[in-house]
Structures are given as structure tokens and as C-alpha cells.
Amino acid sequence: MSVEWWRRLRRGGPAEPPGGGRESVPRSPQPDPPRYRRPKFLRGGEESPRGGRAVRGTGPERPLPWGSGYAEVINAEKSEFNEDQAACCQISVRRREPSLEEDQEWLILCSTQFLTGYYWALFDGHGGPEAAIIASNYLHYCIKQKLEEAAGAIVEACPPMHLSGRCVCDSDPQFVEEKHIHAEDVVVGALENAFQECSVLALDFCQEAAVESSTLVHIALQSCLNPQDEVIGQEMEATNQTGGCTALAALYFQGKLYVANAGDSRAILVLKDTIVPMSSEFTPETERQRLQHLAFLFPKLLDGEFTRFEFPRRLKGDDVGQKVLYRDYFMEGWGYKLVEKADLKYPLVHGHGKQVLCSYIRFVWGQARLLGTLSVSRGLGDHQLKVIDTNIEVKPFLSCIPKVNIFDFGLHDIKEDDVLIMATDGLWDVLCNKEVAHMARSFLAENRTDPHRFSELAKSLVCRARGKKRGHQWMLDDSQEASYDDISVFVIPLHNRVEDC
Amino acid sequence: MSVEWWRRLRRGGPAEPPGGGRESVPRSPQPDPPRYRRPKFLRGGEESPRGGRAVRGTGPERPLPWGSGYAEVINAEKSEFNEDQAACCQISVRRREPSLEEDQEWLILCSTQFLTGYYWALFDGHGGPEAAIIASNYLHYCIKQKLEEAAGAIVEACPPMHLSGRCVCDSDPQFVEEKHIHAEDVVVGALENAFQECSVLALDFCQEAAVESSTLVHIALQSCLNPQDEVIGQEMEATNQTGGCTALAALYFQGKLYVANAGDSRAILVLKDTIVPMSSEFTPETERQRLQHLAFLFPKLLDGEFTRFEFPRRLKGDDVGQKVLYRDYFMEGWGYKLVEKADLKYPLVHGHGKQVLCSYIRFVWGQARLLGTLSVSRGLGDHQLKVIDTNIEVKPFLSCIPKVNIFDFGLHDIKEDDVLIMATDGLWDVLCNKEVAHMARSFLAENRTDPHRFSELAKSLVCRARGKKRGHQWMLDDSQEASYDDISVFVIPLHNRVEDC
């Protein structure tokens, strides 16, 4: 398993000779940072003027697979760029013959020689737009690559123990059956590995120094990266970018919908009579115990600056000597802890919910943060991110592992207005699943003859969450505060799906 | 937080002077290993002859709280002793005044001065009966102790931020409310901490050498123990026992039922129209990813003898060079891995399910095992357990953290025949939830006037799982193999609960 294919794709040069030592491999020139852009399938040119926050969407001139709709709006001057990114394409997976070398031409994205999948993805960047752009450029390549590596197995109802199909033991099929391993498990494995690989790709843009800190940090760093690091490490280069992004990807493949999520975006299926959540959010709050446990195992990661304990509020001098409510890594409940001076340090996970306090242009985001820095706990990138004014790395606490949910179309009778809705947190911060489902059902019922109704619904959802400007504030219809964040929405009609893939 | 109370209780001597260094504290004499016994509330004397596997239960002469029933049977000569243990009692929780010193008489178990709880627990031992006996002797003390430490907070609907009730910040109640912290969360925290403390108590019986291996093992060991180890470490003593046990504890307190589980026992509520699972099992299979991740972070824990990867079967020489189905710590799905020689090592988690192959007296247990040694991944004890013929410690992989489930009686209309059924894996290996619920409903409906029907139901369940002896085999009614394990069952009638506690 190497990502040679990607290096060649990016550089156009030959692959490095295998087996070369760290010293013997010549360094490639430093790559350029990716150019800022909006998704190619958006109608019109580049960004429109900031102040108005015009909602942009897909038009009939560039139809997306299945007639999907997409719309987006930039944040209310929270950051210079729209840090959300989106990708959507068909993925053609060709069976890879064991004898073929990697320099064969099997990387062409849209060949139709074998199995066809459909892919939609959203990336919500932070600390700059680069990581989200890299991920939107490459995650589908990683997925295609991982699916092709296992293509022979995916077409079997019960995948073979050996990819070659050779049966080393007569009872091998029985072992696979007893473990309940099905083709869909191999697709899930491909998605999990693709997220790992894409995170490693982002590392390729970063400085080698990022992993040359203390041994302890290095050990913990490995928990976020995969063993391929040893290969990748030889070529780590710098563009000095520190950003990261969340990743939410939907893949339709062989009659099933797979939704892989690492971060706080969300996907829901809005069916005629029910809403099916297809993802869970990964934030410092939902992953508190994992983060605290890592800090317990490797206390040096906190460098004496943070406490791993959770308290209802940040403690102060008057609390010392008192017994105060707290939680440690092993607790879902709460206990009382005798407060010591060390407990006054800033908490590893602090704040909760999403309290958006807004007063004229300037924002205070009160949501839960990891190390006072990040409001998500999973995603891609962030390899160089440090807590401001310290030498504390954030990356060891982050995970790029997605949770994958599966929806089997064979088990459901899909109706004409059934849709998959994917959106970044900009939508979900101000609208709940029920509100979004209600809007989708009403809108689609009222616009049944409009061929572009899925694009229009995406725009309508973005408009609703962005609200209207009243003075200096963006407000929802009910006078609640609207979303000041970047907002991106896909609406994917399930009834239009191409069944023959 | 110290366990001085327990040391004094066990030794009858005065507490050690606080602040004494490791060298200055005189060593206490080596404690005796706990004497083997059956639960005190069992009818009749000690163990009956082995071969017949007579089912023993509670009788009217020693009624249990709420008229609960209990029954048990020893294993089919798998081990010398019945390694299951049971405990049941009333727990009286007295508010602990901050000014009271620990040598006050507030440890009396059955005082009725304040809040009353009811407690039932099952412990399934392995590697000898000692750990289960220690746990059955002391876990309720630990729970009582932890509840008393927070007693002032438990009676409030919304616990105070400061145990003293003093309000350091005016907005403290609001912080607690925003975190959604309720009294029940403090009870859950007390149970979680009690399991930790009880595991540390078991350590007190073990050799100091157990934690004096490599630094890395020591770091990882800490993940299983709590910071109190530093205190306990000073007094670690030996009885050369290596065993451990699972722990399933039910606590009725303030109108709610709390079920805390660490291991593979199970509790279900059998209500009139529904079955409510009150626990989840923790086995090497259900915790594969946690175990693999630990091995990834600390590869030295495997000492070069095991591989952390999961394969459908153990690999052999012919598999080297092939791509074979595998899973790593970050995967719920499966991928293909090019097999190297190192992959032929014995897997960290191996086997699956519970294939009990029986041929005349001798058994081969094929279920999933951790390090080829243990079939559970959570519990108490096992501090000295090593993989046979190696120096590899099992304890770093084990967790004593229970998962706590809550059932609020205030939200349900409890009917006359509604019961909580708790049992060790000896029952659940051969009977599923539905079968047990069906038996319970039928039996109780047919025996409504029998005052001892809950004891009789417990016996009936144990009898059913033990089966009948045909030749050298124990068989179920339907000619399937019966349970050869120790079997212990509590049947707790919910309608009889004492509401005023």
C-alpha cells in the first residue's frame, strides 16, 4: 500500500525507486499551495461581493449526477474565504489485475469499464481554505484507489479470504461466513482507509518538522496517522499551511448508500414517512472521553498548560480546597473532586453547545473547543496546528477515522420525493432535522413539475439558514439569530438513482 | 479520596499516618487469601456433591430484599470451585458531615439514618475464586462509600457545583443546569468510581512486582487503574492470586434502578409487553477496536509474540505473500492486507462466539479470547495475570470501567409480574432474552399465589440452562448442548420495591 499513484498524479514525474533509504531519496521540489476556488459545478464565475451573502447554486447547464442540487453561501465575514468545499462525481472502479503494475493506465477517473459509483462530499475548512481544497480534490481518488484494490472482492456476495480467489484452506469460505463478512464490509473498509490516506496526503504539504518533536508526541501522532507514514515521511514538504477540514462523503455503490463522516457536518435521509440520520457528529463534546483518555495516557501532550478534567465552568482561585463537580475519562456520570491549584489550568475540552454571541461584525464563538482551539475532533489535515503561543500540538488529539453508515436500497421502497440532504454545520446550527425535513417535503410537493426543484430546494435551505440582514445582523424569520457560518447543502434525489451501477 | 476506611475494616488496626513515604510506612502483614464460600443467603450448607449439579436457591428462612429469588449451579467440572459469586443487601447511605473525621462510626452497613438503597450483584470469576469473593465482599462497601461522599448532592434535583453548597459564583447553578447535570449523574459517577476502587482493592492482595515491569507497561497499566494507585501502591501485598472476575451490579436508589456492568454477565427487565436490556457485554470481540488501538499505541505490550491485526482465521506459511482479509483498530469494515511473516503471530483477539465443543468430560472453549487467555475484556482483578509461558501482562488491556444504564420507575407503570433478571453468562450462553422472558412470564402467571415464586423462577431458569444429564453430556430439552459453566440467576420483582427509600 503506497500513495505513489498520487505523487505521480500531482507531479507528473516518475515514481521514486522502491526501497530507497531516507537519505538516498532526492527531495521533490516544494509543492505550491492549492489555488482557492469554488466548486466547478457552481453556476456563474467566482465569488460574488461579500456583504450581500448571495446564495449560489447549480444550474441546468452543468447537471450533477441524478439531478442533484447544490447551493452555498459564504460566512458573514468570519474569514476571508468560504472555507467550505464540495465535490461531486461519478467514480468508475476497474478491477485491478494482480499482474498489472501501477504504471498502467488504470487511474482514469471516469472510465466505465467496470463498476460505477456516485460520490458527493462536503468539507468544512478551518485555519484557511487549503485543507478543504486538497480534500475536495483528492478524497474521491483515494476512495477509487481503495475500491479498486479490493474490486475483485466487492462483486462477490461473500468476499473471498484471499483477494486472488485462491483457497489456501478448504474451510476459508466458512471462516469468512462465520465472521459475517459481506461485500459491504469491504466497501466500508475502503472508505475508512481512503480517509486515512487522504489525511496523509494533506501531510505531504506540511513541514517535516511537524512530526519531529518529542518522542511522546510522535507516538501519539501515530494514533492519528496510519503505518504508511513511514513511506510518506520521506517526502514531507512544506507550504506552511496549518489548516484542516471536516469531511462528509456519500457513496452510492452496488445498490447501497454509504455515508462516511469525520467532523460536524451531517447527512439525513428525508423519506416520505420518516427521517433516517446517516451520520453522527464528532466534536470535543461528543468525544470528550476519548480526548481525556489520550491526555491521561500521554500527560506530556498537555505540556503542563491544560487540565484533562471537565468542570461545569472554568475554576478560579476561590474554588481551591472546595469539592467541585468533575468528570474524568472513565466517567459518563459526575463526581466531586477536591480542587487543587493544578485544576485551575485551562481545560482540555471547554465550553459547550454553540452559543453564538454576535455584536456588530465581531463574533464570540462560545462552543466547546479542544485545547481552546478547535471545535471539531475529527477531520483531515491540521498537521502543524499548535495552540496559540505554545508548543502544544493539536493533531495528536484529532482523528481522521470516519464512522460509516449504510442504507440498503434493496430493503426500502423509495418514493419520488425521497432525498438525501447533506450539509455543513452552518445549516444544522440553526435548523434541526425536523425543520429541514418539513421544508424539503413541502417544497418538493409544491414544485413537483419543476425539473430543477432539487437545486431550488438546496438554495431555499441555504437561504433559510442564512436569514435576512436587519441592520448589521442576520436574522431568521422568527427573529432568532441566523447562521453566520459558511453554509453548503447537497439535495440528492434517491428516486433518480442509476440502478445499473 | 483514599481507601483507608477499607484497610481499617479489613485489618482492624489504626490508619497509617498520612504523608509517610514509601520507605517509612511499615508493611502490614500479608493478608490471608479470602476463604472460599457460597453466598450466605443460600439455603442449606456448603457445596453439594459435584456430579449431580444440584441447583441451589434461596428459601423462605432467609428472605432477600423485595422477596427476590436467587439460584445457582456449579459448572460441569470445568474448575474445582463454583467461580460465580453473588451479593445482595440493603445499603444505607448516611450524609457525611464535612467536619467528621473518617474514624467516626459511619461505615455501619445497615444503619437507616438517611437514604436507603437496595443492591444485587453477580461476579463471574476466572483463574480461581478469590477475585469474585473479594468483589462480593467489598463492592457494596465501595458503592456505599462513594454515595456517602456525594450524599449531600444526591438529594437535590440539581446537584450543587460545590459539595459544600457554598456558591462561589452567582451563576454556578446555571452552569450546572447548562451541562444538564442531574442527581442521577452523581449516582452514576459514584458507581463508576466504586468499580475503580474495588479493582484497586483487589490489587492490594497482589504482589508489588506486578506493576514493576517496564515503564511502558506501567504507563499502560495506569489506564486500567485510577490515580489512587499511588496511595495503594505503598501497601501492595501478596497472596499470589492471579484471578479476576466480571461484575454486574444493580442498585435501586431514589426511585431509579441503576445497572452497572463490567464483563459478560447480563441484566434484562422483563415487563408485561416489552424486554428492556439493562446491560451490554464487554468481550474481546465487542471491544476489539479498543484493544487493537492500545496495542498500536504500545506495541511493546505484545512483546513480539502477538499481532494486533484481526484475520478471519489464524494465518499460516502458505498465506505469506497473499492479500488476505484483515481489520485494524480504526476499521469496522474489512480490507485486504499483503501478508508478511509477522502476521503469522498469534492474534491479540482470536476466535469468536462461544463454540463449546464437548467430548466426554474434557472441554475445548473456542470463544474469542484476548491474548489467547481471557474471554472477557472488562472486570476486576487479574493484576498478576500473564500469558502462559511469557512475560506478557494481560491487565493493561483490561478495563474495570462499568457501563451504567438507568431505569426511572417514575416514568413507567410497573405491573405485578414485572421483574429484573440478572444472570452470569452460563445462562445467556444457551438461552436468549426472548426465551428467558417467555419462561418468566409463563411461570409467574401460572404461580401467582406462590409466595416464593421468584425463587422458584430463578431455580427453574438455572435448571433449564443446566439441562439434564444424558450419559456424559448435559443436554437441553431440544437436544442442544446445555451450559457446562457456572450459572447464577437473580429474579427481582419490581412491583415489590420499597418506595420510601
Side-chain angles (χ1 to χ4, degrees), chain B residues 134-146:
Chain B
I134 295 170
S136 69
N137 285 344
Y138 292 112
L139 181 59
H140 52 290
Y141 279 98
C142 295
I143 293 173
K144 174 186 167 73
Q145 163 80 1
K146 293 296 166 193

Side-chain angles (χ1 to χ4, degrees), chain A residues 250-282:
Chain A
L251 175 73
Y252 177 75
F253 196 67
Q254 302 275 90
K256 294 193 176 87
L257 179 72
Y258 301 81
V259 176
N261 187 43
D264 62 353
S265 294
R266 189 187 298 170
I268 62 171
L269 285 171
V270 179
L271 308 182
K272 188 171 166 38
D273 302 311
T274 180
I275 303 169
V276 183
M278 288 298 289
S279 64
S280 318
E281 280 97 82
F282 296 101

Side-chain angles (χ1 to χ4, degrees), chain B residues 226-435:
Chain B
N226 92 8
Q228 296 164 346
D229 280 354
E230 208 47 45
V231 178
I232 302 291
Q234 296 176 21
E235 295 196 31
M236 280 192 296
E237 294 157 346
T239 60
N240 277 329
Q241 63 99 359
T242 59
C245 67
T246 67
L248 172 67
L251 175 73
Y252 178 75
F253 196 68
Q254 301 276 90
K256 295 193 175 87
L257 179 72
Y258 301 82
V259 176
N261 187 43
D264 62 354
S265 295
R266 188 187 298 170
I268 62 171
L269 285 171
V270 179
L271 308 182
K272 188 170 165 42
D273 302 312
T274 179
I275 301 169
V276 182
M278 289 296 290
S279 64
S280 318
E281 279 98 83
F282 296 102
T283 69
E285 271 186 303
T286 65
E287 295 214 277
R288 169 187 60 83
Q289 288 183 276
R290 178 179 72 76
L291 301 169
Q292 286 181 312
H293 191 225
L294 206 57
F296 171 69
L297 287 176
F298 302 104
K300 285 189 185 166
L301 289 177
L302 302 183
D303 201 23
E305 300 279 343
F306 289 83
T307 170
R308 76 165 188 272
F309 296 111
E310 183 189 11
F311 302 99
R313 63 161 163 76
R314 182 152 184 207
L315 301 185
K316 45 190 192 174
D318 288 353
D319 295 309
V320 173
Q322 296 270 317
K323 286 191 172 175
V324 166
L325 282 168
Y326 86 108
R327 284 203 285 195
D328 200 357
Y329 71 92
F330 60 87
M331 297 166 74
E332 288 187 15
W334 290 78
Y336 283 91
K337 181 183 191 304
L338 188 67
V339 177
E340 300 160 35
K341 218 174 156 191
D343 299 322
L344 305 188
K345 291 172 185 169
Y346 199 87
L348 172 64
V349 176
H350 191 56
H352 70 274
K354 294 220 168 186
Q355 306 155 345
V356 183
L357 308 174
C358 169
S359 63
Y360 196 59
I361 297 181
R362 193 167 172 279
F363 308 98
V364 181
W365 296 81
Q367 73 218 68
R369 289 194 181 268
L370 164 63
L371 292 163
T373 304
L374 261 192
S375 61
V376 289
S377 54
R378 296 205 189 187
L380 312 174
D382 289 314
H383 296 282
Q384 286 188 288
L385 182 60
K386 290 190 178 179
V387 177
I388 196 163
D389 292 336
T390 75
N391 210 28
I392 298 171
E393 311 252 12
V394 179
K395 184 67 180 172
F397 291 96
L398 300 178
S399 164
C400 61
I401 304 171
K403 171 90 181 83
V404 184
N405 288 296
I406 307 175
F407 183 84
D408 187 346
F409 284 96
L411 305 176
H412 295 85
D413 178 24
I414 297 300
K415 300 288 192 299
E416 198 180 336
D417 286 352
D418 291 351
V419 288
L420 173 70
I421 294 179
M422 301 167 66
T424 51
D425 63 335
L427 184 86
W428 307 108
D429 283 351
V430 295
L431 296 175
C432 69
N433 291 3
K434 271 191 182 172
E435 287 169 309

Side-chain angles (χ1 to χ4, degrees), chain A residues 279-291:
Chain A
S279 64
S280 318
E281 280 97 82
F282 296 101
T283 69
E285 271 186 302
T286 65
E287 295 214 277
R288 169 188 59 85
Q289 288 183 275
R290 177 179 72 75
L291 302 169

